[in-house]
């Protein structure tokens, strides 16, 4: 019997009745409120009376009125129930109850309580001290299958659960050992031999072997229709397990980025038997070799615990709890206490700013421009106004990036001139070509043949604010824009845009060649939108980067590809975003990865540094 919801429904229905003042009601009326039979309604009434929440004086005979007295208000009962559900990890149920029944004051009490529990804490659990990091995210986790990763936060979580053959060190820009302790390649960069470490254990207790490596890479390269990242492994001609700990890979062509591809999240090594038992289940209950193992994942919470047998050493953190609030606005939770690591994807929070401005030596600041660029990608495969370069050029001039940043604020930092925040593409910069008068813009629209037809834009709720702002700007120039908000899971797997003229989304640029190539060669980014000539030109130019041994020359080629896309207005780069992080000096090992997230396994807490 759901006693608390029954009382909350009762109190909400009779919200005009004061506590302690009796009023008349029939059993049939209560049955209607609770959508149950009169007999079951009587059982509910009996239970609520036992709890002391109501008083009931039954009338005589069926249909006769009885007298009901509400003995308590719902706020305290709701708060107690929601806290209990949160502590049990039923985040979604707790939030649904609070959103349905909570008055403003109760919601504020709940958020205060919830905020206090965020951040870094140390507690005694079974006579041992347990260090826990708890933080909120405002997005759902779609999958934790490395091969199916699309969204950045999912990829970050997968990085805690799995390992790759090799790793890429962002600071030194070098590839370092991981599951493979060493490797060698032929002079022509076509044949690679990897030697695996011993005693690399999966979370379910089996040792990783060369056969798991073969299975993991073959799974991607042999199924390009299912795995968008398969483009990174299409050069593989043959892959063999030479013995229990040796893997040999033969490529069709020289590929000087092959090691980098092997360090990416999709190249994570997975256990063959677990994946074959059911890929859908594997995406929800993954088993990898990473520093953390999955304990729980549902719609409201994701819990990771340190994997003691990790081959690179046990993490300092014992537990990570991610509370998932996809329908709440970012910033609804207040800052954690001083022991916390605090992340704000946007301007630094008030508490952080005040502490830093006052010169509080207990606080350290870290601002990271994590290379998130918002984009408009046009569907050139569909007939419509977006197919004309002049229409796209007009939109480029209509969208005043500086004004967007000034009016919308938040984490929007400065106008984007491409993926990179640190330099423009080759050729003219955006500033040099961004000035156009109203009459010139209207002339572009006229030259494009635009006659007021609907221009359909598809995005997710994360970019809805930007989309609405763009629509208002477009309407001032006579462009009729329709916005459709889709679920992020649909956005991730959409192979084409048959009904839409434009996509609005964000790209996390990881400041290296692979992140940029991903945008050009992965089907669910740009290729699904380009026409055939542009598709072939981009593919040819991007693949030529693989064959180039000189890094500077690869950078030049990548800039040429970006410039080609920019000059044709096939993609409009909008704004760059940043992340601010403040943390107390007692929290050590704070590093922000290229995607703007904390590396969990490096964090530790100094017990002798107090507030």
């Amino acid at each position: 019997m759901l006693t608390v919801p029954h009382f909350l429904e009762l109190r909400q229905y009779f919200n005009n009745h004061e506590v302690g003042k009796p009023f008349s009601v029939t059993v049939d009326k209560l049955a209607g409120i609770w959508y149950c039979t009169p007999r079951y309604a009587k059982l509910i009434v009996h239970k609520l009376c036992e709890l002391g929440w109501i008083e009931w004086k039954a009338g005589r005979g069926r249909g006769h009125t009885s007298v009901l007295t509400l003995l308590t208000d719902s706020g305290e009962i709701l708060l107690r129930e929601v806290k209990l559900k949160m502590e049990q990890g039923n985040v979604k149920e707790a939030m649904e109850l609070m959103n349905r029944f909570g008055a403003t004051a109760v919601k504020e009490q709940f958020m205060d309580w919830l905020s206090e529990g965020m951040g870094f804490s140390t507690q005694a659990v079974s006579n041992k001290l347990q260090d826990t990091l708890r933080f909120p995210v405002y997005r759902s986790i779609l999958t934790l299958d490395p091969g199916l990763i699309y969204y950045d936060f999912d990829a970050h979580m997968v990085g805690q659960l799995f390992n790759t053959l090799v790793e890429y060190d962002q600071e030194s820009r070098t590839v370092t050992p991981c599951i493979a302790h060493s490797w060698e390649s032929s002079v022509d960069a076509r044949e690679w031999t990897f030697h695996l470490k011993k005693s690399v254990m999966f979370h379910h207790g089996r040792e990783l072997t060369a056969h798991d490596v073969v299975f993991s890479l073959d799974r991607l390269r042999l199924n390009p229709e299912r795995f968008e990242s398969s483009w990174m492994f299409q050069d593989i001609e043959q892959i063999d397990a030479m013995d229990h700990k040796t893997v040999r890979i033969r490529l069709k062509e020289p590929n000087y980025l092959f090691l980098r591809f092997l360090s990416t999240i999709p190249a994570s090594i997975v256990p063959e038997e677990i994946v074959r038992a059911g890929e859908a289940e594997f995406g929800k209950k993954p088993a990898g070799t990473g520093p953390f193992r999955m304990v729980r994942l549902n719609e409201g919470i994701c819990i990771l615990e340190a994997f003691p047998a990790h081959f690179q050493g046990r993490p300092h953190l014992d537990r990570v709890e991610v509370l998932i609030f996809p329908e709440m606005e970012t910033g609804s939770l207040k800052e954690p206490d001083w022991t916390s690591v605090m992340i704000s994807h946007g301007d630094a929070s008030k508490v952080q700013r005040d502490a830093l401005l006052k010169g509080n030596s207990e606080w350290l600041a870290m601002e990271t421009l994590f290379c998130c660029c918002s984009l408009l990608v046009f569907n050139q495969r569909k007939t419509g106004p977006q197919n004309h370069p002049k229409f796209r050029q007009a939109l480029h001039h209509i969208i005043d990036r500086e004004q967007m940043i000034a009016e919308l604020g938040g984490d929007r930092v400065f106008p984007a001139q491409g993926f990179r925040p640190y330099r423009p593409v080759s050729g003219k910069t955006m500033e040099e070509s961004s000035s156009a008068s109203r009459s010139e813009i209207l002339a572009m629209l006229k030259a494009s043949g635009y006659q007021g037809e609907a221009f359909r834009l598809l995005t997710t709720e994360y970019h809805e604010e930007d989309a609405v702002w763009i629509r208002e700007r477009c309407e001032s120039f006579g462009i009729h824009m329709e916005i459709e908000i889709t679920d992020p899971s649909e956005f991730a797997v959409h192979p084409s845009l048959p009904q839409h003229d434009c996509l609005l989304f964000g790209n996390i640029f990881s400041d290296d060649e692979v992140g940029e190539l991903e945008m050009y060669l992965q089907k669910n980014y740009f290729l699904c939108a380009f026409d055939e000539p542009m598709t072939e030109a981009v593919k040819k130019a991007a693949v030529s980067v693989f064959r180039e041994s000189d890094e500077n020359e690869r950078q030049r080629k990548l800039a040429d590809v970006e410039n080609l896309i920019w000059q044709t207005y096939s993609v409009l780069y909008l704004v760059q975003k940043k992340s601010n992080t403040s943390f107390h000096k007692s929290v050590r090992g704070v590093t922000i990865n290229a995607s703007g997230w904390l590396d969990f396994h490096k964090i530790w807490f100094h017990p002798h540094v107090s507030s």
Side-chain angles (χ1 to χ4, degrees):
M1 183 178 291
L2 302 173
T3 312
V4 171
H6 286 142
F7 177 74
L8 295 174
E9 287 167 350
L10 187 70
R11 191 69 186 92
Q12 187 177 63
Y13 189 88
F14 294 114
N15 62 356
N16 58 330
H17 289 276
E18 294 181 26
V19 172
K21 290 191 175 182
F23 58 93
S24 298
V25 68
T26 64
V27 172
D28 287 342
K29 181 70 172 178
L30 297 182
I33 294 171
W34 290 323
Y35 297 99
C36 65
T37 63
R39 182 180 178 183
Y40 193 69
K42 291 178 181 178
L43 292 175
I44 297 172
V45 166
H46 180 70
K47 183 63 176 177
L48 296 181
C49 286
E50 283 186 345
L51 291 169
W53 296 350
I54 67 170
E55 185 178 275
W56 177 261
K57 292 182 179 179
R60 294 183 178 181
R62 180 176 174 82
H64 284 74
T65 59
S66 301
V67 177
L68 171 65
T69 305
L70 300 167
L71 300 179
T72 183
D73 214 332
S74 59
E76 187 176 335
I77 293 171
L78 172 62
L79 198 57
R80 185 166 61 244
E81 180 72 7
V82 170
K83 285 181 180 180
L84 177 63
K85 289 190 177 296
M86 290 295 299
E87 288 167 351
Q88 293 171 341
N90 298 321
V91 178
K92 188 171 186 290
E93 291 180 35
M95 295 309 298
E96 286 175 350
L97 273 179
M98 183 57 68
N99 289 333
R100 183 180 175 189
F101 297 110
T104 301
V106 177
K107 286 181 178 178
E108 288 178 354
Q109 289 182 59
F110 171 62
M111 297 313 293
D112 286 344
W113 172 82
L114 194 56
S115 298
E116 289 172 1
M118 294 295 168
F120 200 101
S121 64
T122 300
Q123 295 178 334
V125 178
S126 301
N127 296 322
K128 291 183 179 180
L129 292 178
Q130 183 179 83
D131 292 337
T132 299
L133 176 66
R134 172 183 279 197
F135 64 95
V137 295
Y138 302 94
R139 66 203 73 197
S140 299
I141 294 176
L142 299 182
T143 181
L144 293 174
D145 183 335
L148 297 174
I149 288 300
Y150 180 80
Y151 287 108
D152 179 64
F153 182 66
D154 292 10
H156 176 67
M157 297 300 288
V158 165
Q160 316 303 308
L161 300 167
F162 293 88
N163 292 111
T164 47
L165 278 178
V166 294
E167 292 180 324
Y168 181 66
D169 186 295
Q170 199 74 34
E171 290 187 10
S172 65
R173 302 182 75 84
T174 58
V175 175
T176 59
C178 190
I179 289 174
H181 64 81
S182 63
W183 58 89
E184 56 261 3
S185 66
S186 59
V187 176
D188 63 359
R190 288 184 59 193
E191 187 167 289
W192 298 78
T193 304
F194 295 89
H195 306 282
L196 311 186
K197 293 177 181 177
K198 295 179 180 179
S199 301
V200 176
M201 305 300 295
F202 284 112
H203 298 153
H204 65 298
R206 179 174 68 78
E207 185 176 1
L208 179 148
T209 72
H211 296 284
D212 293 302
V213 176
V214 174
F215 170 77
S216 299
L217 298 182
D218 271 347
R219 177 178 178 240
L220 300 179
R221 76 179 183 98
L222 298 177
N223 298 284
E225 73 288 347
R226 287 172 52 224
F227 299 105
E228 299 289 352
S229 56
S230 66
W231 62 270
M232 288 188 281
F233 310 105
Q234 291 307 300
D235 272 345
I236 296 178
E237 185 175 67
Q238 188 173 346
I239 177 169
D240 297 298
M242 307 304 293
D243 57 40
H244 194 60
K245 292 295 177 185
T246 311
V247 176
R248 182 169 295 166
I249 302 174
R250 178 75 179 172
L251 305 182
K252 302 171 189 174
E253 301 280 349
N255 188 328
Y256 295 94
L257 287 176
F258 188 58
L259 278 180
R260 278 291 292 110
F261 293 158
L262 291 177
S263 71
T264 60
I265 291 295
S268 298
I269 307 305
V270 301
E272 180 175 359
E273 76 277 18
I274 302 293
V275 176
R276 288 192 184 280
E279 285 191 343
E281 187 68 10
F282 175 69
K284 298 174 184 176
K285 297 180 180 179
T289 62
F292 291 90
R293 63 183 182 87
M294 176 63 66
V295 173
R296 183 175 184 180
L297 174 63
N298 59 35
E299 290 178 301
I301 194 168
C302 176
I303 300 176
L304 310 182
E305 285 185 353
F307 182 42
H310 190 239
F311 64 96
Q312 292 178 321
R314 187 193 189 283
H316 300 295
L317 266 183
D318 297 301
R319 185 178 173 95
V320 177
E321 297 181 0
V322 183
L323 303 186
I324 302 168
F325 302 107
E327 297 177 1
M328 272 178 57
E329 289 187 9
T330 303
S332 296
L333 291 180
K334 297 181 180 179
E335 288 80 8
D337 63 19
W338 62 266
T339 60
S340 307
V341 175
M342 307 197 302
I343 288 189
S344 167
H345 288 312
D347 292 335
S349 66
K350 185 178 186 302
V351 170
Q352 292 169 259
R353 287 199 304 269
D354 289 348
L356 296 171
L357 288 173
K358 291 175 182 177
N360 189 337
S361 61
E362 302 297 311
W363 287 89
L364 304 173
M366 178 184 296
E367 180 176 295
T368 302
L369 188 66
F370 64 101
C371 310
C372 179
C373 175
S374 55
L375 311 159
L376 281 180
V377 181
F378 298 100
N379 183 9
Q380 298 176 28
R381 297 173 184 252
K382 174 180 176 289
T383 302
Q386 79 289 345
N387 244 334
H388 200 292
K390 284 292 182 183
F391 181 85
R392 302 196 296 266
Q393 185 181 8
L395 277 185
H396 165 67
H397 291 294
I398 287 170
I399 301 171
D400 184 330
R401 279 76 161 175
E402 293 284 6
Q403 187 175 349
M404 175 187 280
I405 294 166
E407 294 182 5
L408 298 182
D411 57 358
R412 302 164 186 86
V413 190
F414 54 79
Q417 298 185 32
F419 294 132
R420 307 169 183 84
Y422 48 85
R423 66 177 178 84
V425 297
S426 57
K428 289 196 299 182
T429 66
M430 192 175 72
E431 283 105 337
E432 292 172 330
S433 64
S434 62
S435 178
S437 66
R438 181 176 181 85
S439 60
E440 288 172 330
I441 294 172
L442 292 173
M444 292 174 198
L445 291 174
K446 184 177 180 181
S448 73
Y450 181 69
Q451 297 180 342
E453 59 267 40
F455 174 65
R456 296 179 176 85
L457 182 146
L458 180 68
T459 190
T460 65
E461 60 182 347
Y462 306 135
H463 300 282
E464 184 174 2
E465 189 178 26
D466 295 53
V468 171
W469 188 92
I470 291 170
R471 181 177 62 190
E472 291 175 357
R473 291 283 298 177
C474 286
E475 286 176 351
S476 69
F477 283 86
I479 297 175
H480 174 51
M481 177 182 285
E482 296 177 356
I483 299 172
E484 180 179 338
I485 306 299
T486 189
D487 187 83
S489 60
E490 292 295 322
F491 208 85
V493 299
H494 220 297
S496 63
L497 309 172
Q499 304 300 323
H500 299 92
D501 304 314
C502 182
L503 285 177
L504 169 59
F505 61 94
N507 167 55
I508 300 292
F509 178 64
S510 56
D511 192 25
D512 74 310
E513 299 153 305
V514 175
E516 193 164 349
L517 286 166
E518 182 179 61
M519 297 301 292
Y520 303 143
L521 295 176
Q522 196 149 308
K523 295 192 297 294
N524 54 2
Y525 285 111
F526 286 0
L527 286 188
C528 67
F530 290 159
D531 58 22
E532 287 302 324
M534 177 63 77
T535 296
E536 291 308 310
V538 169
K539 276 186 177 180
K540 183 178 179 181
V543 170
S544 72
V545 177
F546 300 0
R547 315 298 175 217
E548 179 55 59
S549 60
D550 183 75
E551 183 178 356
N552 291 330
E553 185 62 19
R554 290 199 298 268
Q555 287 296 319
R556 188 193 65 78
K557 287 187 174 187
L558 284 169
D560 287 343
V561 179
E562 187 179 41
N563 201 35
L564 171 66
I565 294 171
W566 178 78
Q567 286 179 335
T568 57
Y569 300 99
S570 298
V571 173
L572 297 187
Y573 307 102
L574 301 180
V575 296
Q576 295 283 357
K577 300 185 177 184
K578 69 175 178 179
S579 172
N580 284 285
T581 302
S582 291
F583 53 96
H584 193 265
K585 68 180 183 181
S586 61
V587 181
R588 307 296 174 88
V590 175
T591 58
I592 307 296
N593 61 27
S595 302
W597 291 99
L598 286 169
D599 283 325
F600 301 151
H601 65 283
K602 296 180 181 179
I603 297 173
W604 63 284
F605 179 70
H606 197 302
H608 302 300
V609 178
S610 63
S611 60

